Amino acid sequence: MSLETISTNRSHGGTQGVYKHRSSETGTDMTFSVFVPDHAEGETLPVLWYLSGLTCTHANVTEKGEYREACAQHGVIFVAPDTSPRGDEVPDDEGYDFGKGAGFYVDATEQPWAANFRMRSYIESELPALLAASFPVDMDRQAITGHSMGGHGALTIALRNPERFRSVSAFSPIVSPLACPWGEKALGGYLGGDKAAWREYDACALIEDGARVADLLVDQGDADGFLEEQLRTPLLVAACEKAGQPATIRMQAGYDHSYYFISSFMAEHVAWHAERLAT
Amino acid sequence: MSLETISTNRSHGGTQGVYKHRSSETGTDMTFSVFVPDHAEGETLPVLWYLSGLTCTHANVTEKGEYREACAQHGVIFVAPDTSPRGDEVPDDEGYDFGKGAGFYVDATEQPWAANFRMRSYIESELPALLAASFPVDMDRQAITGHSMGGHGALTIALRNPERFRSVSAFSPIVSPLACPWGEKALGGYLGGDKAAWREYDACALIEDGARVADLLVDQGDADGFLEEQLRTPLLVAACEKAGQPATIRMQAGYDHSYYFISSFMAEHVAWHAERLAT
């Protein structure tokens, strides 16, 4: 596994890097960003994964996420992967909500997607191995967060891998692809019509089926235009209550779906994870 | 003066807006952004102006500047204008460093620039009047900052208007257009060959000619590729020392010319200005 450095910039008392590598899971080059706070030689730091939403690459949160100050303060490495395979040879859809930029963190089983759209295995297996080999990370101290489609990714990956993540949070997550048009289109396209196969990619269904995480934090803007039809936060509230899953799910008055919202609560999320990653 | 609202987003306990208006100075539509922290009804807040660098619009600092948290904390309104007139009817140059995106905060006297490139009067007169008429600003409490070409703009505007600005700071400013290629090209183009006319647009020359500001803060990355040839920080250090102008001019180890640098020290600059704007 070789890693190409695209750029490094000193920022907030640490190093913001952007890197590229050839992914065996997706069969394409993949780009991601890593922020590493200054630290003692030989020291390893806990890691917070951030999964991005529809249409995004690693760049959106890297430029607009306002996480570096908090990560430097708490000594947390921040990793932002891309949201899908890229390249001319990768199949795509005309919509912004399926295909490139819209991997939904699944391993596709349907054609023509199955060869490249393996974002579940990429995030769960390939990229962690590369990270462990290349950065000063303590892989026994991991947490995960994300936005919108990436919030869905963070919740489902954490629920399927509770031993790996001490904590999971999300900004305006899609809480149930089974119950929204974005999910219907994407999971139908990637996984086919048998909805039983979708349940391991649906946070509410995973909780209903018995999956649990140690601790869960969600912030959702009440002026978010996607809330009612696509994100459906109340379904997650109900699933957690019914299952006894501890969760802090907060509605934030006046906030929308943008990075203006995410950046407003990012430092709080970093601090919340850092507390759970401390020792 | 009518103001069109392009967008507003709730962020960090305030409102980030983007606005457009017809400018009588530039003869074009002009776009700018304003962040207004939450405040009591009828209360007015101090203002920090931020002038952007070459190739930028209002959007770069609005998205990447990381100023909102500090402005909300200190109750400071943040205004980010564009860097030049825009539009098909506005003359331009092939280079990134002259014409559109490169107004250099001068009132051009040469053709074909003189009609539209009036960024000095736009920033010093027209936009302040519009701001005072449309936002809850206390115009008796103003400060100014900027980056690169905008650092040049902030320094020169403050030095020419010391009664208006309580404090001025800059990130990696062009300290002497008289003494660098960017300045030679732009001021030569906008103002013509008589360098006596350039001195009111040169921070070092203004200080040499007797202009003073109450307080001045500069941060400059020592890994900035433009430092030696274009920015020339040591000239400002020397001019301030010779003239007895109080100044804090800091070299920041490892930092470059990007928003990764600016955002790292933005909160500190906002706090520094806020202290001087407090009462």
Side-chain angles (χ1 to χ4, degrees):
Chain A
M1 291 184 298
S2 78
L3 193 62
E4 179 187 342
T5 299
I6 304 290
S7 63
T8 60
N9 297 82
R10 183 152 182 77
S11 193
H12 284 290
T15 302
Q16 179 63 62
V18 178
Y19 307 92
K20 192 167 82 173
H21 69 117
R22 189 75 190 171
S23 165
S24 59
E25 289 292 350
T26 68
T28 65
D29 286 347
M30 292 292 286
T31 302
F32 63 98
S33 82
V34 182
F35 177 71
V36 180
D38 291 351
H39 57 283
E41 206 183 318
E43 186 187 10
T44 58
L45 301 177
V47 63
L48 176 59
W49 295 81
Y50 177 93
L51 303 184
S52 293
L54 288 168
T55 77
C56 290
T57 69
H58 71 284
N60 305 68
V61 72
T62 304
E63 295 176 357
K64 305 181 192 176
E66 302 191 15
Y67 56 83
R68 281 177 286 271
E69 185 181 5
C71 284
Q73 182 190 339
H74 295 288
V76 172
I77 287 176
F78 190 98
V79 182
D82 203 346
T83 54
S84 80
R86 308 272 178 185
D88 292 342
E89 74 284 12
V90 175
D92 200 6
D93 178 79
E94 286 181 6
Y96 72 95
D97 52 2
F98 185 50
K100 290 180 196 173
F104 268 82
Y105 307 99
V106 307
D107 284 349
T109 52
E110 295 294 297
Q111 297 310 332
W113 314 102
N116 304 113
F117 284 78
R118 298 185 51 77
M119 290 301 292
R120 172 185 177 165
S121 290
Y122 177 69
I123 300 291
E124 288 188 352
S125 304
E126 186 178 16
L127 192 53
L130 180 62
L131 199 74
S134 311
F135 295 89
V137 286
D138 178 354
M139 297 302 273
D140 291 331
R141 293 189 286 159
Q142 295 186 65
I144 190 165
T145 184
H147 171 238
S148 195
M149 176 185 75
H152 144 75
L155 291 169
T156 53
I157 289 172
L159 283 160
R160 288 194 309 263
N161 300 277
E163 73 298 342
R164 185 177 147 201
F165 298 102
R166 301 226 190 145
S167 47
V168 54
S169 76
F171 304 88
S172 28
I174 300 168
V175 305
S176 179
L178 278 160
C180 72
W182 279 342
E184 289 270 345
K185 178 176 178 180
L187 271 54
Y190 292 132
L191 304 175
D194 177 8
K195 292 193 176 180
W198 300 17
R199 295 185 68 83
E200 59 183 330
Y201 297 112
D202 184 295
C204 290
L206 281 163
I207 292 169
E208 194 181 313
D209 293 347
R212 295 290 182 272
V213 289
D215 214 346
L216 193 165
L217 169 67
V218 168
D219 276 310
Q220 171 64 52
D222 75 359
D224 183 332
F226 298 116
L227 171 54
E228 200 171 333
E229 189 183 10
Q230 302 281 12
L231 307 175
R232 305 198 64 184
T233 319
L235 294 180
L236 183 64
V237 174
C240 289
E241 277 176 5
K242 190 171 172 196
Q245 166 64 53
T248 304
I249 300 173
R250 309 186 295 197
M251 299 304 291
Q252 299 290 358
Y255 287 89
D256 61 23
H257 201 65
S258 71
Y259 271 90
Y260 292 110
F261 160 63
I262 300 169
S263 61
S264 299
F265 297 95
M266 179 62 86
E268 218 175 306
H269 281 236
V270 171
W272 183 84
H273 287 291
E275 198 180 320
R276 285 151 183 81
L277 294 167
T279 51
Chain B
M1 291 183 299
S2 76
L3 194 63
E4 180 188 340
T5 300
I6 304 290
S7 63
T8 59
N9 297 82
R10 184 155 181 77
S11 192
H12 283 290
T15 302
Q16 179 63 61
V18 178
Y19 307 92
K20 191 166 83 174
H21 70 116
R22 188 75 190 171
S23 164
S24 57
E25 289 293 350
T26 68
T28 65
D29 286 346
M30 292 293 285
T31 302
F32 63 98
S33 82
V34 181
F35 177 70
V36 180
D38 291 350
H39 56 284
E41 205 182 318
E43 187 187 8
T44 58
L45 301 177
V47 178
L48 176 59
W49 295 80
Y50 178 93
L51 303 184
S52 294
L54 287 167
T55 76
C56 290
T57 69
H58 70 284
N60 305 68
V61 72
T62 305
E63 295 175 357
K64 305 180 190 175
E66 303 192 14
Y67 56 82
R68 281 176 286 272
E69 185 181 5
C71 284
Q73 184 190 338
H74 295 288
V76 172
I77 287 175
F78 190 98
V79 183
D82 203 347
T83 54
S84 79
R86 308 273 178 185
D88 293 342
E89 74 284 13
V90 174
D92 201 6
D93 178 79
E94 285 180 5
Y96 72 94
D97 52 1
F98 185 51
K100 290 180 197 174
F104 268 82
Y105 307 100
V106 307
D107 283 350
T109 52
E110 294 295 297
Q111 298 307 335
W113 315 102
N116 303 114
F117 285 77
R118 298 187 49 79
M119 290 301 292
R120 172 185 177 166
S121 291
Y122 176 69
I123 300 291
E124 288 188 351
S125 303
E126 186 178 15
L127 192 53
L130 181 62
L131 199 74
S134 311
F135 295 90
V137 286
D138 178 355
M139 297 301 273
D140 291 332
R141 292 189 287 159
Q142 295 185 64
I144 190 164
T145 185
H147 171 238
S148 195
M149 177 184 74
H152 145 75
L155 290 170
T156 54
I157 289 172
L159 283 160
R160 289 196 306 266
N161 302 276
E163 73 297 343
R164 184 176 148 201
F165 298 101
R166 302 225 189 145
S167 47
V168 55
S169 75
F171 304 88
S172 28
I174 299 168
V175 306
S176 179
L178 278 160
C180 73
W182 279 341
E184 289 271 344
K185 178 176 179 181
L187 270 55
Y190 292 133
L191 304 174
D194 177 9
K195 292 193 175 180
W198 301 18
R199 295 185 69 81
E200 61 182 329
Y201 297 111
D202 184 295
C204 290
L206 282 163
I207 292 169
E208 195 181 313
D209 293 347
R212 296 289 181 274
V213 289
D215 214 346
L216 193 165
L217 169 67
V218 168
D219 276 310
Q220 171 64 52
D222 76 359
D224 183 332
F226 298 115
L227 171 55
E228 200 171 334
E229 189 185 8
Q230 303 280 11
L231 308 175
R232 305 198 63 185
T233 320
L235 295 180
L236 182 64
V237 174
C240 289
E241 276 176 6
K242 190 172 172 197
Q245 165 65 52
T248 304
I249 300 173
R250 310 186 295 197
M251 299 304 291
Q252 300 290 358
Y255 287 88
D256 61 22
H257 200 64
S258 71
Y259 271 90
Y260 293 110
F261 161 63
I262 301 168
S263 62
S264 299
F265 297 94
M266 179 62 86
E268 220 175 303
H269 281 236
V270 170
W272 183 84
H273 286 291
E275 199 180 320
R276 285 149 183 83
L277 294 167
T279 50

